[in-house]
Amino acid sequence: MRNTVILIAVGIFILIMLFQCFYTVDEKEQVIILQMGEYKKTVDSPGIHTKLPFVQTAKSLDKRVLKSDAPPTSYLTGEKKNLEVDHITRWRIVDPVTFYKSIGSDESQASNRLNAIVVSELRDELASYDLVDIISTQREIIMNDVTERAAAKAIDFGIEIIDVRIKRADLPEELQGNVFARMMAERQREAKKYRAEGEEQALQTKAEADLEAIVILAEAYKIEQSLKGEGDAQATAIYAAAYSQAPQFYSLLRTLETYTSIMDSKTTLVLSTESDLFKYLSGSEME
């Protein structure tokens, strides 16, 4: 019976020694080894590792990207208006020794510290902007500035802040109508500006097109008159050459052309019996 008790005691002692000598590191963890409360080393490679029993202690810390979701907080804008903001912070432990010395191994305590830092930076930053700018155009700039300044403070705790983002920004009900009206007026002002610029550009384009049309028409008229003058000159030269070759035939031809142009089936002529045209029409000239 006594031997059995001894064997059991030895077995328990061996198990305790095994638990004290070996520890495991998960792939999502990093472990710091403390010897009598003093830092000895950091282990972040997954697997089974050894340490001195009873003398050394293994403290596990997460090495993944963590998230701190802060409760909604009221802030004052540059216009002294209340704004309810709900933000979220993404961070990770980059210096496990500093983290452990300043905060310990409690990640919830680290989240509280980070939330306090971010809230302070958000309060200072939002106080520099109007409500409309925070909600619409300047949010990205605000978040980048807050992230940069909060990260500079969080590094003292061994923490790297990846980014800070606003999940929700709500206005008090009494302010919503005024803000939306202001936003609408701003958009209408921009729309009027763009329409005025468009109309100005359209008028300028039309004026340029009209000027170009006038220039083209003037050039075409110039060419037309030049060609017409050349044609008249050629026609005159041809008429002169024809007249010099057969004056009587040319005179007859011109007379016939004149008769054709001044008479048709509805023309009534009053002629003297002595006129050449009367003689031609009556046939007395042919006799």
Side-chain angles (χ1 to χ4, degrees):
M1 182 67 181
R2 183 179 179 182
N3 292 334
T4 303
V5 173
I6 293 175
L7 288 175
I8 293 174
V10 170
I12 293 174
F13 177 76
I14 292 174
L15 289 176
I16 293 174
M17 290 297 295
L18 289 176
F19 280 114
Q20 285 292 321
C21 292
F22 296 97
Y23 65 95
T24 59
V25 178
D26 191 83
E27 58 184 7
K28 61 179 180 294
E29 294 177 336
Q30 51 190 337
V31 174
I32 59 173
I33 301 300
L34 304 176
Q35 184 171 323
M36 305 298 293
E38 296 293 329
Y39 170 77
K40 297 299 293 182
K41 64 179 178 178
T42 300
V43 180
D44 58 4
S45 57
I48 299 176
H49 301 268
T50 60
K51 63 180 181 63
L52 296 177
F54 303 107
V55 178
Q56 293 183 336
T57 305
K59 297 292 184 181
S60 298
L61 300 172
D62 206 320
K63 65 179 180 180
R64 297 172 297 178
V65 174
L66 304 175
K67 179 180 67 174
S68 295
D69 195 351
T73 306
S74 179
Y75 300 89
L76 283 178
T77 67
E79 305 161 304
K80 306 303 179 184
K81 304 293 186 181
N82 287 323
L83 182 66
E84 295 288 330
V85 175
D86 185 3
H87 75 269
I88 186 171
T89 305
R90 294 194 307 142
W91 57 280
R92 61 181 166 220
I93 302 171
V94 293
D95 188 345
V97 179
T98 302
F99 181 87
Y100 183 78
K101 288 181 178 179
S102 58
I103 296 178
S105 58
D106 188 355
E107 294 172 2
S108 62
Q109 183 66 23
S111 293
N112 294 334
R113 291 279 188 92
L114 286 178
N115 289 337
I117 293 173
V118 173
V119 166
S120 176
E121 297 300 332
L122 267 175
R123 196 176 303 281
D124 293 341
E125 190 70 15
L126 295 179
S128 303
Y129 291 89
D130 291 342
L131 196 59
V132 174
D133 296 332
I134 295 172
I135 295 175
S136 56
T137 59
Q138 301 299 318
R139 177 179 291 194
E140 190 68 23
I141 296 175
I142 293 171
M143 289 296 94
N144 290 338
D145 291 342
V146 170
T147 299
E148 183 178 351
R149 293 206 300 269
K153 294 182 178 180
I155 200 66
D156 294 337
F157 303 108
I159 295 173
E160 177 191 10
I161 292 181
I162 299 173
D163 60 8
V164 179
R165 287 290 177 264
I166 292 177
K167 293 198 307 181
R168 181 173 54 88
D170 288 339
L171 300 170
E173 293 183 1
E174 64 272 13
L175 295 179
Q176 290 183 4
N178 294 334
V179 172
F180 291 151
R182 181 175 174 183
M183 292 175 64
M184 184 177 297
E186 181 67 17
R187 296 298 180 268
Q188 290 176 349
R189 185 187 66 80
E190 291 183 2
K192 289 180 180 178
K193 175 185 175 183
Y194 292 143
R195 280 196 292 266
E197 291 176 353
E199 291 175 358
E200 180 181 357
Q201 186 174 1
L203 290 174
Q204 181 179 354
T205 303
K206 186 177 183 300
E208 293 175 354
D210 291 342
L211 177 60
E212 185 177 358
I214 292 173
V215 172
I216 293 173
L217 290 174
E219 186 67 22
Y221 181 76
K222 177 182 176 182
I223 295 173
E224 176 193 7
Q225 293 300 313
S226 176
L227 294 176
K228 185 176 180 181
E230 293 176 0
D232 291 343
Q234 292 179 4
T236 302
I238 293 172
Y239 289 149
Y243 181 76
S244 63
Q245 293 179 5
Q248 293 180 351
F249 176 76
Y250 178 76
S251 178
L252 174 63
L253 181 61
R254 295 292 291 174
T255 301
L256 293 176
E257 289 178 351
T258 301
Y259 293 164
T260 303
S261 63
I262 65 175
M263 292 186 300
D264 56 19
S265 59
K266 297 181 180 180
T267 302
T268 301
L269 299 176
V270 179
L271 302 173
S272 172
T273 56
E274 300 297 328
S275 67
D276 293 336
L277 180 58
F278 179 79
K279 294 177 181 179
Y280 280 122
L281 294 177
S282 62
S284 58
E285 185 69 22
M286 300 299 295
E287 295 177 355

